[in-house]
Amino acid sequence: MALSIGVVCALKSDLYSVEMCQLKDDSCPELCWKVHLSLYSQSTTACVSLKVCSVSPKMNDANVSKQIQQMVRFIRQEAEEKANEISVSAEEEFNIEKLQLVEAEKKKIRQEYERKERQVEIRKKIEYSMQLNASRIKVLQAQDDVIGSMKEAASKELLSVSHHHHLTLTHHDHVYRSLLKDLIVQCLLRLKEPSVLLRCRKEDLHLVEHVLDSAAEEYADKANVDPPEIIVDNQVYLPPGPSHHNAHDISCSGGVVLASHDGKIVCENTLDERLDVVYRKKLPEIRKQLFGQVVA
């Protein structure tokens, strides 16, 4: 049975600790020692216990002390080497883990930067598209204003076509009377009814009555039918021409409106209606003449 007499020496540092105890063992006549070595690191702790017996029981105290010092130096050297290995290994593991963490954070930063960069690009495209659309709308609005002013000017010119004197017929009145006749014939050819109702402006009534018979005969010759019955509505007239007094009221620049006897078929052949038809038909050509080819 071995019995520990006591701690003979102890060494301790941040990396290792060493304890040596003298043992008395009846089964072993030599002088015995128990050496306990502990190694420390950030992640591990290694412990080693050794039992060392002296080779000669007749060694004096000086030899024993010298041998103990040699053992201590050897153990210390082994401990330092082992501690260095542990320290180097821990440093390598730390550097590897640190590099992995740094690379992971760099990747996150790059991804966040790319995401924000895409957002900025999308925002720029949206703003550019909005500004481009706003500019296009302004250009189209300006073009519409120009075309609208042209139509308004044409509407005012229609008044000069239908303006006439009530007492004496001028050359201008003869032109408008001939135009009324052509408008009536055109309506009759569209309606092809034996009896029609005619409406006109009150100021055009005497001119219309003057051309009714000739218009009916011309229609009959062109359609190869009997002259139709044309009834002039003396109760309801078309609105008068526009003026600065009734600029916002319903107006009519001239012309006629014919309808079948039952009123189911109506042919509007006023100057304003004909202007609208020409305007809608010629609008693409007008735009091209004024503004050139429009690129979408």
Side-chain angles (χ1 to χ4, degrees):
M1 178 178 180
L3 179 63
S4 175
I5 297 177
V7 177
V8 176
C9 65
L11 301 174
K12 189 174 183 182
S13 70
D14 294 337
L15 299 178
Y16 62 88
S17 65
V18 181
E19 292 182 359
M20 294 182 63
C21 300
Q22 185 177 359
L23 299 176
K24 183 177 181 182
D25 193 345
D26 296 337
S27 62
C28 182
E30 293 86 358
L31 185 60
C32 297
W33 303 90
K34 182 180 180 183
V35 181
H36 185 76
L37 171 65
S38 298
L39 303 177
Y40 308 113
S41 70
Q42 294 180 350
S43 58
T44 59
T45 301
C47 298
V48 180
S49 295
L50 300 175
K51 181 180 179 183
V52 182
C53 298
S54 63
V55 296
S56 177
K58 297 180 180 181
M59 294 178 64
N60 54 26
D61 292 341
N63 292 334
V64 170
S65 178
K66 183 178 181 180
Q67 187 175 2
I68 290 174
Q69 293 299 324
Q70 290 177 351
M71 293 171 57
V72 168
R73 286 194 297 271
F74 173 76
I75 293 171
R76 176 180 292 177
Q77 182 179 356
E78 291 292 327
E80 289 177 352
E81 291 177 356
K82 190 64 177 178
N84 288 334
E85 291 178 3
I86 295 174
S87 178
V88 170
S89 177
E91 185 72 19
E92 291 178 353
E93 293 178 359
F94 169 75
N95 290 332
I96 293 173
E97 185 174 358
K98 181 178 71 173
L99 182 61
Q100 291 176 348
L101 292 175
V102 170
E103 290 298 327
E105 290 301 321
K106 285 182 178 180
K107 185 177 180 181
K108 289 182 181 179
I109 293 173
R110 284 194 295 267
Q111 291 176 348
E112 182 68 15
Y113 174 78
E114 292 174 356
R115 184 183 67 83
K116 291 184 177 181
E117 188 177 23
R118 288 194 297 269
Q119 289 180 348
V120 171
E121 291 296 328
I122 293 174
R123 192 178 300 113
K124 286 182 178 179
K125 291 181 180 179
I126 293 174
E127 291 177 356
Y128 173 77
S129 179
M130 292 176 61
Q131 292 177 359
L132 183 61
N133 290 334
S135 299
R136 287 177 177 174
I137 291 174
K138 289 181 179 180
V139 171
L140 293 176
Q141 184 63 46
Q143 293 178 355
D144 290 340
D145 292 342
V146 172
I147 296 176
S149 64
M150 291 180 60
K151 184 181 178 183
E152 184 178 355
S155 299
K156 293 179 179 180
E157 289 294 328
L158 293 178
L159 294 177
S160 62
V161 174
S162 60
H163 179 72
H164 55 85
H165 300 278
H166 295 279
L167 299 179
T168 59
L169 293 178
T170 63
H171 173 72
H172 183 80
D173 296 331
H174 285 287
V175 173
Y176 180 57
R177 186 173 64 182
S178 177
L179 175 61
L180 287 174
K181 175 185 173 182
D182 293 338
L183 294 176
I184 294 172
V185 172
Q186 189 177 45
C187 287
L188 292 174
L189 290 171
R190 286 182 175 273
L191 295 175
K192 294 182 180 179
E193 293 287 331
S195 177
V196 296
L197 178 67
L198 183 147
R199 287 178 181 172
C200 63
R201 297 188 307 176
K202 190 173 184 179
E203 55 265 36
D204 295 339
L205 181 60
H206 67 288
L207 295 177
V208 170
E209 291 176 343
H210 190 272
V211 299
L212 279 181
D213 294 337
S214 59
E217 292 176 359
E218 183 175 343
Y219 162 72
D221 292 339
K222 290 183 177 181
N224 197 18
V225 295
D226 294 333
E229 179 186 9
I230 303 176
I231 303 173
V232 178
D233 191 346
N234 293 320
Q235 302 297 324
V236 180
Y237 295 99
L238 297 180
S243 63
H244 61 278
H245 298 293
N246 57 353
H248 300 289
D249 295 339
I250 299 176
S251 61
C252 177
S253 299
V256 294
V257 174
L258 273 71
S260 59
H261 188 70
D262 55 7
K264 294 182 178 180
I265 304 175
V266 179
C267 178
E268 293 188 13
N269 219 8
T270 63
L271 299 183
D272 304 280
E273 183 64 25
R274 293 183 69 86
L275 177 62
D276 290 338
V277 172
V278 172
Y279 173 77
R280 291 191 297 269
K281 184 178 180 180
K282 295 294 184 178
L283 183 58
E285 185 177 347
I286 294 173
R287 286 186 177 274
K288 186 176 181 180
Q289 290 290 334
L290 291 177
F291 314 115
Q293 187 67 29
V294 179
V295 180

